[in-house]
Amino acid sequence: MTEQIDLHRRHLLGVAVTTVAAVQFATAGSAGAQLSMTKTGATTIKPGTNSFGPLKQVTAGVLNVGYAELGPADGAPVILLHGWPYDIHTYVDVAPILASRGFRVIVPYLRGYGSTQFLSSETPRNGQQAVVAVDVIALMDALQIDKAIVGGCDWGARTANIVAALWPERCKALVSVSGYLIGSQEANKMPLPPKAELQWWYQYYFATERGQAGYEKYRRDFARLIWQIASPQWNFDNATFERSATAFDNPDHVDVVVHNYRWRLGLAEGEPQYDELEQRLAKAPVIAVPTITLEGDANGAPHPDPSAYAKMFSGKYEHRLITGGTGHNLPQEAPKAFADAIIQVASLA
């Protein structure tokens, strides 16, 4: 097992390295977006050029969710999920491409981000993996979306994995950056080699009260550092960063983020009503819906080797490596490549 695979055995629950032949997908046509593209699908974002415009709000479960919506109301639904420390602008250039192809695109702020707010001050600011997926199902119910293509990156990829695994009747198809990321507290007890542990430094930092206070005080500096480490070849400008950084001003942001990482290490409890879901996730359920997984060739964040998770997808499946210096925030760095994956996986569902 390579060190790269060791790095994510926590998420893969000891999955043996295997090589699975990919199911080939038909080549999609032009995405039709008016963006400046390179051959690899990367884009240069000019500050202030791309915007979602006015956002919508809807009560869904325990949240009032802020979200962007593009495309025709009767289009095939696509739900795109961001991660940490990012926001809905991960998809600011993906969404118009998909809308131009007739998809109804929904891009929500996760709990603790942007304009998404808890309905009650009594609700725990819980960040465990299952609850974020429950939020997505609640959002679908609130928007009367029976079934959707779900795509994600970072926390969003894990959440998309969970929706596809636990509620396949609600997930038409899946696009996941860095593959299969479902984990468990038990698996996270397994120590890693020191070099691998080093890459999780912030996880251990957040386990301390000093870390929580430090993130509260320096959340913008912290996020910018993670962006730079995770995407070392992404030359984002200050306007691009600040456009997303306002999402971290959410009053629940620090509590949700810190709980997420403490829960992973078994240092914080989840809510009892989600125990059954976590037990199912701890068994590493196989995902059967049509799936495309993506990875950037310059991803500086911890991520598993594709061969370690290929067998976790039992349906029509393909993995794609996106070249040209693409880092961890793949949909924002290479929006055409991500949009193409959504378009193509839709044709197989």
Side-chain angles (χ1 to χ4, degrees):
M1 181 175 288
T2 67
E3 180 175 296
Q4 189 76 308
I5 296 172
D6 278 342
L7 180 60
H8 280 263
R9 61 185 175 184
R10 288 174 173 163
H11 299 302
L12 300 174
L13 304 173
V15 174
V17 176
T18 183
T19 301
V20 176
V23 175
Q24 297 301 312
F25 285 67
T27 301
S30 169
Q34 294 180 351
L35 303 171
S36 174
M37 301 290 182
T38 70
K39 292 181 180 179
T40 61
T43 182
T44 300
I45 299 174
K46 296 180 180 180
T49 298
N50 305 300
S51 172
F52 280 123
L55 300 182
K56 298 182 177 182
Q57 297 286 144
V58 66
T59 297
V62 301
L63 302 172
N64 184 261
V65 179
Y67 66 100
E69 180 170 355
L70 286 77
D74 60 351
V78 176
I79 298 175
L80 303 177
L81 304 171
H82 69 81
W84 173 87
Y86 306 98
D87 83 322
I88 61 174
H89 291 95
T90 288
Y91 302 101
V92 72
D93 298 303
V94 172
I97 298 174
L98 297 178
S100 73
R101 297 294 292 261
F103 291 97
R104 178 189 180 191
V105 186
I106 308 293
V107 191
Y109 279 115
L110 301 186
R111 54 170 57 200
Y113 294 80
S115 60
T116 292
Q117 303 288 337
F118 286 88
L119 298 176
S120 171
S121 61
E122 302 301 314
T123 303
R125 273 42 178 174
N126 181 355
Q128 72 183 98
Q129 62 177 355
V131 76
V132 187
V134 169
D135 290 345
V136 175
I137 297 299
L139 176 63
M140 293 176 68
D141 290 343
L143 297 179
Q144 298 183 330
I145 295 173
D146 180 61
K147 199 168 189 177
I149 298 168
V150 184
C153 182
D154 195 83
W155 285 23
R158 177 177 295 107
T159 304
N161 285 181
I162 295 171
V163 170
L166 297 187
W167 294 279
E169 72 280 3
R170 306 298 298 273
C171 183
K172 182 178 180 181
L174 171 68
V175 173
S176 177
V177 177
S178 297
Y180 189 91
L181 299 176
I182 297 172
S184 74
Q185 287 180 316
E186 188 63 30
N188 287 343
K189 294 178 181 179
M190 300 169 60
L192 303 176
K195 188 176 180 180
E197 297 281 21
L198 178 63
Q199 296 188 60
W200 287 110
W201 65 274
Y202 54 87
Q203 185 167 254
Y204 302 115
Y205 182 62
F206 289 156
T208 69
E209 293 308 303
R210 176 188 175 101
Q212 180 161 358
Y215 189 49
E216 178 72 55
K217 183 176 181 179
Y218 298 110
R219 64 183 83 177
R220 270 176 163 74
D221 293 335
F222 205 104
R224 186 184 291 272
L225 176 61
I226 296 297
W227 280 33
Q228 293 166 341
I229 292 172
S231 299
Q233 297 185 42
W234 182 28
N235 296 317
F236 61 87
D237 55 32
N238 190 60
T240 299
F241 175 76
E242 286 298 328
R243 184 178 59 183
S244 291
T246 58
F248 314 143
D249 294 333
N250 183 298
D252 302 306
H253 177 73
V254 173
D255 288 341
V256 170
V257 170
V258 168
H259 183 269
N260 175 282
Y261 288 104
R262 289 183 180 181
W263 179 87
R264 294 191 200 189
L265 294 176
L267 302 176
E269 296 295 326
E271 293 179 77
Q273 64 263 41
Y274 305 117
D275 286 351
E276 189 270 337
L277 295 179
E278 293 295 353
Q279 291 167 8
R280 291 169 63 187
L281 294 173
K283 296 178 181 179
V286 172
I287 293 172
V289 304
T291 300
I292 293 178
T293 58
L294 304 172
E295 190 59 80
D297 65 339
N299 186 357
H303 60 280
D305 187 278
S307 63
Y309 56 70
K311 76 173 186 179
M312 303 308 295
F313 301 98
S314 63
K316 297 175 182 178
Y317 173 71
E318 180 184 350
H319 176 76
R320 297 177 179 176
L321 177 67
I322 309 305
T323 60
T326 303
H328 186 63
N329 191 18
L330 188 150
Q332 194 165 355
E333 297 176 61
K336 184 178 183 298
F338 190 92
D340 283 348
I342 294 285
I343 293 166
Q344 292 175 35
V345 81
S347 69
L348 296 175

